[in-house]
Amino acid sequence: MRYGHFDDGRREYVITRPDTPLPWINYLGSEAYFGIISNTAGGYSFYRDARLRRLTRYRYNNVPFDLGGRYLYLRDSASGDFWSPSWQPTQSELEDYECRHGMGYSAISSCRNGIEAETLYFVPLGENLEIWRMRVTNKRDGEAKLSLFSAVEFCLWDAQDDQTNFQRNFSTGQVEVEGSVIYHKTEYRERRDHFAYFACSEPLAGFDTQRDTFLGAYKGWDSPAAVERGESFDSVAHGWAPCGSHHVELTLAPGESKEVIFVLGYWENPDEAKFDPPGSQTVSKKPVAPVIERYLRSDEVESAYQGLRDYWSRLLGILQVQTPDEHTNRMVNIWNAYQCMVTFNMSRSASFYESGIGRGMGFRDSNQDLLGFVHMVPERARERILDIAATQLPTGGAYHQYQPLTKRGNDAVGSGFNDDPAWLILGAAAYLKETADLSILDEPVTYDNEPGTESPLYEHLQRSLRYTLDRLGPHELPLIGRADWNDCLNLNCFSTTPGESFQTTENKEGGVAESVFIGGLFVLAAEELAQIAGLRGQTDEAKVYRADGAKMDTVVREHGWDGEWFRRAYDYFGDVVGSAKNEEGSIFIEPQGMCILAGIGLDDGKAEKALDSVSDKLATKHGIVLQQPAFTHYYVNLGEISSYPPGYKENAGVFCHTNPWIMIAEAIIGRGDAAFDYYQRINPSSREDISELHRCEPYVYPQMIAGKDAASFGEAKNSWLSGTAAWNFVAVSQWILGVRAEYGGLRIDPCLPKEWERFEATRRFRGATYQISVSKPKGVCKGVAQVTVDGKKIEGNLIAPQPAGAEVVVEVTMG
Ligand code: BGC
Ligand code: NOJ
């Protein structure tokens, strides 16, 4: 069953009923000001950091779902009937409800009793504000007298404190109202130099800023007292819960439309010029006034919206494909690329499942996200790499995350995950392959954000690799530390205290837990660093890295191979994990993917065998589960992985992030049907028809789909913020379609399903445009017989970089 449909021409998903199984959300903003918005206008906004600079409130895990948002109410003065044109929060019956989630904007429209309303929400490029443009049309035969009310609830900036520290916060709230603008200025009187504003393009009939006056005591957002009676209270918040509500009266002749624009934004004044007049306590509004004025104008709003659309056309235009499969096309061309940009901006901080308080920018997560967006915004990838590296510890180790506002690393979600450093090498390599900008390697970068500790980025990469080599266990495999990619395989934790975090609790000393996965990752990273060293002319160093990699490869084959698949780890006591010897958790997906990506076992049949085992034991119709058999009880020596009921999350869920590793591995060994089959099993667009089971948005990947051991097999959770986005993009674009940036140019090396006969792609790469067509006359899945560039045959399938501005025609014949 579907709840809407794709409109690929407009790059939108169109939701046609408001009661989706879960709120289906979208993101507003692409630089510093962001928001999440659901299909019923739920969500919240923040400046840079969802925890430290939150503008509006949202009630996570609320009943009913999804409360707190960008709300508008219409009220018919004649009948007193009032409703929310976005359905929430009044949940009144609507005709023609539609929510169009697009690239950086959402538009929600509906009609009730002949009154049509459409609201477009977006953040203009380069601004720290969001626009709600509402158009109300009277489709009745007679005149309509209406009241329009807006409503947001302000968050007192620090989202964590806002939800916990009521003894203080009920006394700090402050606002100012001037003309049609409401200013939220809590704590501006003391140490903050920033405020929020909520402006309206129309003269006001009234306003409210005290939430409980606007709503009425014991009443909810579904029936605010002001809306019910059709008149604001003109309340000015002093403490309690400041909100922002405008009241606009509209009289519309039959057929008449009226546009009302609201602007919600964030502003910082220089510390020494906060007040106007100086010495007063009144917010200085002069600097922000022209910005507000500008975006309350219809023509400016329209051109900012067009600017946003052009921006996305430009970004998405960097890679466009035409394949025989519409799901592939729309994911590669639109939604998967878009999701990659969102994970770039958010890491794992703010979604319907991530509260914006719990996690910031993950070290390993952000490095992997980079793989999916580096071709679109390479200059921002550069900045991101430098930000991440600046939090690295002098040992080469890493905090697990940093806070976007301060860019400082912190161990709130743990540290000492021994895979973290290696991902920095992979992130940097992806950037270098895309751009050939070797200068980044010489950028001075701090350790632990400490000024004075700078060393070139290249040294950070060296220390990353060294970090693993300095921490080898009894089998010469890498020690796992707190955990590796699988945050929940906690082999040194031994937690028996309820509620204790598996990621931050003190590890038991003296263990020898080793990770085969990090072994594979190390082999991959060592080769990447060797290539980078080679580019710098450091050939001796490159040799050393290659030798380190080769040694680890041997160790993995020796101690990491179980006979039919790669083992997962050795635990604290040196006992094997992920082996046929284990009754539960005898095979894990991660080492199969990572070892093959690193090239281990390609020459001796191990890779093929491992992939056969995956197909045999882990693959399901809803994707490949993380391990089997699922853990049926808690294993204190394995940790959080066994805390989840079977089939969920890391305990044998389809942890989507790992599936593309298998797709890539299949593509590496040339099994195009298998690679594509796995791809389409978790492709959200291919799953649109089972939305009632899948439940999450059909336009973006979720982190997890419940596995076969779960009661709700096939149900997705944790949409949007997951390494799944980047890795699926890599799998389909670089390995299945095979269009891959390398140091020496653009490689075209597809591995396609047998029945495909051709596909086309346009790729912009280092300033030139490649019009690529691939034909597959013979039915082979892999192997390129001939490549021509502008009609001239070249050797092999690596196209040397073309001059910037050039547009070349590339014809590839497989066979
Ligand atoms: C989740 C993991 C996540 C970790 C983050 C765990 O509870 O299951 O997926 O990586 O928290 O700290
Ligand atoms: C989600 C986390 O963000 C990621 O870092 C981790 O690798 C996976 N969960 C697996 O635990």
Side-chain angles (χ1 to χ4, degrees), residues 38 58 88 154 413-414 507 541 672 677 680 706:
S38 74
Y58 184 72
Q88 288 256 60
F154 290 113
V413 295
N507 273 341
E541 212 175 296
D677 182 19
Q680 59 90 25

Side-chain angles (χ1 to χ4, degrees), residues 348 359 364-365 400 485-488 650 655 657 703:
R348 305 297 170 268
R359 300 207 275 165
R364 78 156 84 87
D365 293 332
H400 212 33
W485 172 88
N486 191 332
D487 279 337
C488 299
E650 280 87 345
F655 211 96
H657 185 149
Q703 180 204 55

Side-chain angles (χ1 to χ4, degrees), residues 493-793:
C493 184
F494 296 88
S495 175
T496 52
T497 306
E500 195 167 70
S501 154
F502 290 93
Q503 278 86 37
T504 56
T505 260
E506 200 170 329
N507 273 341
K508 199 163 138 162
E509 285 295 315
V512 290
E514 297 167 287
S515 163
V516 176
F517 174 84
I518 303 180
L521 181 62
F522 178 86
V523 173
L524 189 61
E527 173 57 27
E528 293 290 4
L529 194 56
Q531 289 187 26
I532 294 171
L535 289 173
R536 289 165 62 89
Q538 286 156 297
T539 41
D540 288 347
E541 212 175 296
K543 272 191 208 137
V544 174
Y545 298 142
R546 290 219 163 84
D548 290 338
K551 190 160 168 224
M552 186 64 76
D553 180 309
T554 310
V555 172
V556 168
R557 289 182 208 231
E558 202 168 315
H559 300 289
W561 181 250
D562 200 58
E564 299 289 326
W565 55 81
F566 292 100
R567 296 176 163 175
R568 181 64 178 84
Y570 288 90
D571 72 7
Y572 180 88
F573 309 103
D575 293 330
V576 70
V577 177
S579 153
K581 294 194 188 93
N582 302 111
E583 243 169 65
E584 298 191 333
S586 52
I587 171 170
F588 283 68
I589 191 173
E590 307 100 301
Q592 322 312 326
M594 192 46 72
C595 291
I596 300 171
L597 254 68
I600 306 173
L602 291 179
D603 51 354
D604 60 6
K606 286 190 173 62
E608 209 169 313
K609 235 184 202 172
L611 289 172
D612 288 344
S613 299
V614 167
S615 151
D616 214 34
K617 300 190 178 321
L618 300 178
T620 77
K621 62 178 177 180
H622 294 299
I624 312 168
V625 298
L626 194 139
Q627 99 279 5
Q628 279 292 292
F631 299 111
T632 54
H633 60 90
Y634 179 54
Y635 290 74
V636 72
N637 61 320
L638 300 182
E640 184 170 2
I641 190 167
S642 59
S643 73
Y644 290 110
Y648 293 105
K649 292 277 283 176
E650 280 87 345
N651 188 11
V654 175
F655 211 96
C656 296
H657 185 149
T658 60
N659 280 220
W661 296 340
I662 301 300
M663 298 166 203
I664 297 171
E666 290 286 4
I668 289 175
I669 70 163
R671 302 201 295 206
D673 281 330
F676 187 72
D677 182 19
Y678 289 139
Y679 174 70
Q680 59 90 25
R681 288 189 209 193
I682 63 165
N683 182 333
S685 165
S686 324
R687 296 172 63 78
E688 186 193 13
D689 284 342
I690 52 165
S691 288
E692 77 290 358
L693 171 66
H694 185 79
R695 298 186 77 215
C696 281
E697 297 90 330
Y699 41 91
V700 289
Y701 285 96
Q703 180 204 55
M704 194 248 336
I705 298 171
K708 59 185 175 183
D709 304 284
S712 56
F713 182 33
E715 179 194 37
K717 273 185 200 143
N718 303 0
S719 55
W720 282 98
L721 304 186
S722 167
T724 309
W727 277 108
N728 269 287
F729 195 80
V730 169
V732 66
S733 61
Q734 299 186 22
W735 296 94
I736 295 177
L737 302 178
V739 180
R740 202 154 67 228
E742 292 188 4
Y743 294 112
L746 200 60
R747 171 92 57 197
I748 317 286
D749 188 19
C751 181
L752 304 175
K754 260 192 214 73
E755 64 179 30
W756 284 22
E757 283 169 11
R758 56 181 305 108
F759 79 87
E760 273 80 40
T762 307
R763 173 72 151 90
R764 284 211 301 279
F765 174 64
R766 299 189 201 162
T769 304
Y770 300 74
Q771 302 286 1
I772 304 161
S773 59
V774 174
S775 65
K776 193 162 93 27
K778 290 200 188 123
V780 295
C781 292
K782 191 163 175 159
V784 167
Q786 179 179 297
V787 179
T788 64
V789 178
D790 281 341
K792 282 190 228 72
K793 190 168 170 332

Side-chain angles (χ1 to χ4, degrees), residues 53 157 186-195 266-275 283:
R53 286 286 187 285
W157 306 117
T186 300
E187 290 184 348
Y188 189 79
R189 67 191 305 283
E190 32 127 341
R191 292 155 295 173
R192 295 187 186 275
D193 57 7
H194 54 88
F195 58 88
Y266 172 89
W267 192 262
E268 283 173 7
N269 273 336
D271 204 31
E272 62 293 350
K274 278 169 56 168
F275 302 105
V283 170

